[in-house]
Amino acid sequence: MKARTLFDKLWDSHVVEQLPDGTAILYIDRHLIHEVTSPQAFEGLRMAGRKIHNPEAMMAVIDHNVPTTDRSKPIEEDDSRQQIEALEHNVKEFGVPFIPLQSDKQGIIHVVGPEEGITLPGMTIVCGDSHTSTHGAFGALAFGIGTSEVEHVMATQTLLQKPAKNLKIEINGTLRPGMSAKDVVLAVIGHIGTAGGTGHVIEFTGSVIRNLDMAGRMTVCNMAIEGGARSGLIAPDEVTFEYIKGRPNAPQGADFDAAVGYWKSLASDEGAHYDKVITINVDNLEPMVTWGTSPEDVLPITGNIPDPALLKDESQRLRKQRMLDYMDLKIGTPIAGTKIDAVFIGSCTNSRLEDLRAAAHVLKGKKIANHVWALVVPGSGVIKKQAEAEGLDKIFIDAGFEWREAGCSMCLAMNPDRLKPGQRCASTSNRNFEDRQGPGGRTHLVSPAMAAAAAVKGELTDVREMI
Amino acid sequence: MDKFDILTAIAAPLPEENIDTDKIIPARFLKTTKRSGLGKSAFYSWRYDENGKEREEFVLNREPYRQAEILVTYENFGCGSSREHAPWALLDFGIRCVIAPSFADIFFNNSFKNGILPIRLPREICEQLVEDTKMGANAKLTINLEKQEIIRPNGEKISFEVDPLRRQLLLDGLDDIGQTLQHVKSIDDFEEKRKQNQPWYPKVSAEKLSS
Ligand code: SF4
């Protein structure tokens, strides 16, 4: 048989039917939903008198709109409340497994899915949300879809899809102390650009990926989408199986062993064809930080703000100049030392227990700068509890951070957590777009350890000087 | 989705180029949880003044164009953001067909998905059709999708092109979902096979999520 990549295997094992024009009807194993992109899909079903094909392939949670402060009070913002109430109503009507807001398990959908063992290797997983790529860390084909497609999956358990191309990114070398998966993926995006993965699914391989824990692998796949890819993938291995074992919704006992047998067969075959291969060495990697308003505009913390005048392409030059104006940065000055107003540790990129530990490690026994407003928003209620059991909450609170309830929060500022115009934030999230963290807000994407270091110094700074 | 075979209806003129999706439905209406009900906000800034009162001069606020089911407009209709709220708003207003020299790609595809027929015709013909729409209550066009022709009020016929698959879906009243559901047997078979080969892939358990 022809040597196949991990992607090829996932694709082949889910094609229900091949249509004459090259489109496939692709079977979907898991459909995750949240309050923002699902209401019109439910409404569409209702209007057409259709049912959900398989509600038990689904999981719903509220994350984008929720306040991260006291949950016992009613939600003040009307449209947020209505979206939440609509989801509560819809899951009941259609019988969709649901984690309510009051549950300890509530959290960001891409954190909760893996945590509950709903995300498993060898699956196809979709969600009306671009960062669905996160689940690719388990060796599942996972990608974001639009509202019409959400409805399509609900009604048919399939999607109409054309296969993507294969891009392999092999990451080798040894990460030095202070460096994390976030620095690796920011460097990758800086290297390939925000359109570098367009039309492709990226499979991440190499010794660095093998040595990452699941939290780190999820961080990498989460941001594959920022490199323009449809999805990220990592072949499942012992680290994956160890993570899954015993999770509430994962196969148990003999079933688990049988599953592992199959999952081991998913890794790309020797000699499989990739449309493109990129190799990156991280021996000299330094902590990374973005300076612009696109994730590809990234620098090592030891670097200086680049000069757009050096760019050949005129429209690029204008675009980068506009970014510098928006970010209020000066050409040629070191990025380290840039004063910040806020720090956000959270989002489906970096809100897992390992991320909180890394930040707490830097903060232990220190205080944040007086002028800094700092938030920690755990990715789920489960993580919050675990962190509290380890005493991490105390470290954060003693340092001057606010310790919040789980949700998307200031990753996209759909809830009340947002920057004021002109405020500058060191953030562990995934998008530094204009206005993303609040109208007029300025975002620098960094790792959890770098965010903690920035909070202490009150400016962007090299975390290696603090550990 | 309602079938689209022969439509005889009032056509309203919007003789402008580059009408974007923000014009069709402004961003502030996107936080809705519904796709129905957007019709009253379609073309909001043209239809209403600052106090939310209808502007008499706007064509869709006048008779007989309030009943229009066809729009005749110019180049690049539906450009801008990819929001599916744009065809939702048009459909909810009652529009089933838009005629223009060209459309933005995503809007074009989204229209079919929602049972709206977008027809591309050369600018000169669109200009003639705009003239037709000025005949008030007689401004009726007939769109025959089966024969792929438009019949003008004077009886003249204009033929148009449409993708054969898209055409069939509209004639049958099938959206993408309806089309895929024609393959439901294959889907069920696939599921059954999967259950046998990989019985250890569990269902999501609502119970386990709540414990
Ligand atoms: S944390 Fe941010 S990126 Fe992740 S799902 Fe929420 S809003 Fe999207």
Side-chain angles (χ1 to χ4, degrees):
Chain A
M1 205 174 169
K2 197 171 143 250
R4 293 184 299 165
T5 62
L6 168 57
F7 170 78
D8 298 338
K9 293 180 189 184
L10 292 170
W11 178 268
D12 293 348
S13 59
H14 288 87
V15 173
V16 172
E17 229 178 282
Q18 191 72 49
L19 302 178
D21 70 338
T23 311
I25 302 183
L26 196 71
Y27 190 77
I28 302 300
D29 293 310
R30 288 282 188 260
H31 185 189
L32 310 175
I33 63 169
H34 60 80
E35 76 277 19
V36 179
T37 51
S38 65
Q40 280 92 355
F42 281 111
E43 197 207 6
L45 288 185
R46 216 175 272 128
M47 279 162 49
R50 288 179 175 133
K51 290 203 304 271
I52 293 186
H53 183 89
N54 182 7
E56 286 167 317
M58 300 178 69
M59 193 266 286
V61 67
I62 302 166
D63 54 7
H64 282 63
N65 273 305
V66 295
T68 53
T69 47
D70 188 356
R71 293 265 168 87
S72 58
K73 293 188 199 129
I75 293 165
E76 278 170 27
E77 290 166 305
D78 279 341
D79 38 17
S80 292
R81 197 183 54 245
Q82 280 159 12
Q83 282 193 330
I84 292 169
E85 287 170 354
L87 185 65
E88 289 170 341
H89 171 88
N90 286 330
V91 294
K92 220 190 242 157
E93 180 181 335
F94 288 89
V96 175
F98 173 58
I99 299 179
L101 187 53
Q102 299 73 24
S103 165
D104 279 348
K105 296 191 169 192
Q106 179 270 339
I108 306 169
I109 189 127
H110 308 309
V111 174
V112 174
E115 194 165 78
E116 293 301 319
I118 287 168
T119 299
L120 296 171
M123 286 183 157
T124 45
I125 302 176
V126 296
C127 174
D129 190 289
S130 54
H131 291 93
T132 309
S133 59
T134 313
H135 309 265
F138 289 78
L141 180 59
F143 50 90
I145 54 178
T147 297
S148 277
E149 291 176 309
V150 168
E151 187 182 336
H152 194 279
V153 178
M154 285 175 173
T156 70
Q157 210 55 49
T158 66
L159 269 180
L160 301 172
Q161 288 283 304
K162 292 213 166 104
K165 290 194 201 139
N166 282 288
L167 163 60
K168 173 156 94 168
I169 300 189
E170 191 178 322
I171 307 170
N172 294 317
T174 312
L175 284 178
R176 294 186 291 185
M179 243 60 67
S180 73
K182 183 65 162 289
D183 301 297
V184 172
V185 72
L186 284 173
V188 168
I189 295 164
H191 185 84
I192 68 172
T194 47
T198 305
H200 292 77
V201 164
I202 303 177
E203 182 180 345
F204 296 97
T205 69
S207 59
V208 173
I209 298 295
R210 288 288 137 234
N211 289 329
L212 284 178
D213 57 22
M214 286 316 294
R217 293 180 187 185
M218 284 189 256
T219 302
V220 171
C221 287
N222 173 276
M223 289 197 72
I225 183 85
E226 309 308 334
R230 283 224 72 192
S231 195
L233 277 177
I234 294 174
D237 59 12
E238 291 305 326
V239 177
T240 323
F241 310 145
E242 200 45 48
Y243 176 100
I244 293 168
K245 199 171 186 175
R247 303 251 160 205
N249 264 280
Q252 314 283 342
D255 278 350
F256 180 76
D257 298 335
V260 168
Y262 172 65
W263 294 340
K264 281 185 175 161
S265 74
L266 291 169
S268 294
D269 299 329
E270 195 72 39
H273 170 77
Y274 290 89
D275 299 281
K276 214 156 112 186
V277 177
I278 294 171
T279 312
I280 293 173
N281 185 291
V282 296
D283 282 340
N284 298 318
L285 187 72
E286 298 186 284
M288 301 299 279
V289 51
T290 62
W291 59 267
T293 54
S294 147
E296 70 182 7
D297 305 308
V298 67
L299 278 175
I301 186 67
T302 52
N304 297 337
I305 305 297
D307 186 353
L310 301 174
L311 291 168
K312 278 197 213 89
D313 183 79
E314 154 132 23
S315 67
Q316 276 281 354
R317 203 158 55 228
L318 291 173
R319 215 166 70 88
K320 302 279 162 167
Q321 185 55 53
R322 224 176 79 82
M323 285 182 183
L324 287 177
D325 295 343
Y326 181 87
M327 293 298 290
D328 191 26
L329 293 170
K330 260 185 59 205
I331 296 164
T333 54
I335 184 103
T338 307
K339 195 170 162 230
I340 55 155
D341 309 292
V343 170
F344 172 63
I345 297 179
S347 88
C348 56
T349 314
N350 279 132
S351 62
R352 298 181 179 82
L353 189 59
E354 292 79 353
D355 300 314
L356 304 188
R357 283 184 189 143
H361 180 70
V362 173
L363 288 171
K364 193 159 191 180
K366 299 194 183 76
K367 293 256 181 262
I368 63 171
N370 276 332
H371 67 273
V372 171
W373 171 54
L375 282 185
V376 197
V377 185
S380 73
V382 172
I383 293 171
K384 181 168 185 255
K385 266 194 165 167
Q386 287 169 336
E388 286 169 353
E390 287 183 17
L392 302 184
D393 58 325
K394 259 195 87 5
I395 297 176
F396 282 113
I397 293 166
D398 288 349
F401 270 78
E402 293 179 25
W403 179 248
R404 295 291 188 89
E405 302 288 338
C408 292
S409 177
M410 213 161 70
C411 174
L412 91 166
M414 254 184 113
N415 78 344
D417 308 338
R418 58 185 74 138
L419 296 176
K420 295 194 187 77
Q423 279 191 327
R424 185 183 299 282
C425 178
S427 174
T428 67
S429 54
N430 44 54
R431 283 186 175 152
N432 49 354
F433 300 165
E434 285 185 19
D435 305 325
R436 170 87 176 179
Q437 295 195 289
R442 300 179 175 124
T443 303
H444 295 275
L445 301 177
V446 289
S447 72
M450 281 286 284
V456 171
K457 270 214 127 167
E459 58 189 40
L460 296 174
T461 188
D462 193 336
V463 64
R464 289 173 298 182
E465 290 161 14
M466 231 177 257
I467 49 176
Chain B
M1 217 166 79
D2 292 338
K3 280 188 187 173
F4 193 117
D5 38 31
I6 297 176
L7 172 71
T8 300
I10 300 285
L14 285 176
E16 275 194 46
E17 294 158 17
N18 299 316
I19 295 179
D20 61 45
T21 49
D22 254 283
K23 263 276 170 297
I24 300 172
I25 184 80
R28 63 181 178 283
F29 298 108
L30 303 191
K31 264 216 180 186
T32 169
T33 56
K34 295 195 173 304
R35 70 177 81 191
S36 54
L38 286 168
K40 60 180 186 300
S41 311
F43 301 108
Y44 194 91
S45 60
W46 282 340
R47 264 166 85 200
Y48 305 101
D49 65 16
E50 305 75 50
N51 304 319
K53 248 191 69 206
E54 278 192 6
R55 296 177 199 270
E56 253 176 69
E57 69 277 15
F58 183 59
V59 61
L60 296 178
N61 288 336
R62 298 203 310 261
E63 291 299 344
Y65 304 107
R66 281 180 186 278
Q67 269 81 51
E69 292 176 55
I70 302 166
L71 286 182
V72 185
T73 179
Y74 290 161
E75 282 83 355
N76 202 22
F77 187 79
C79 57
S81 112
S82 65
R83 65 190 64 151
E84 204 162 324
H85 300 69
W88 294 343
L90 293 181
L91 187 68
D92 192 61
F93 180 87
I95 302 296
R96 290 300 307 276
C97 174
V98 184
I99 303 170
S102 62
F103 294 86
D105 261 356
I106 297 179
F107 176 84
F108 191 75
N109 287 327
N110 280 342
S111 296
F112 284 109
K113 274 189 192 165
N114 289 283
I116 297 173
L117 171 65
I119 299 177
R120 291 194 193 105
L121 287 174
R123 169 80 180 225
E124 313 84 72
I125 297 183
C126 291
E127 285 173 1
Q128 288 171 15
L129 294 177
V130 164
E131 284 308 308
D132 287 348
T133 62
K134 294 183 180 157
M135 301 167 69
N138 294 325
K140 281 197 175 168
L141 297 179
T142 295
I143 317 280
N144 187 327
L145 179 58
E146 178 83 57
K147 293 192 177 156
Q148 296 186 215
E149 61 188 23
I150 300 172
I151 305 164
R152 297 178 61 186
N154 66 7
E156 191 195 327
K157 290 176 180 165
I158 301 167
S159 62
F160 62 88
E161 295 292 318
V162 53
D163 174 84
L165 180 66
R166 294 291 193 186
R167 170 170 165 273
Q168 201 53 48
L169 289 177
L170 281 177
L171 285 171
D172 295 343
L174 287 176
D175 52 9
D176 282 5
I177 295 178
Q179 191 207 5
T180 303
L181 283 176
Q182 294 185 321
H183 301 264
V184 72
K185 171 105 187 15
S186 311
I187 298 170
D188 289 343
D189 290 350
F190 182 94
E191 253 171 358
E192 199 42 52
K193 226 172 59 208
R194 208 160 154 69
K195 241 182 249 157
Q196 280 166 16
N197 295 343
Q198 290 153 347
W200 31 261
Y201 270 134
K203 296 173 176 174
V204 176
S205 150
E207 212 169 280
K208 285 179 185 158
L209 287 181
S210 61
S211 61

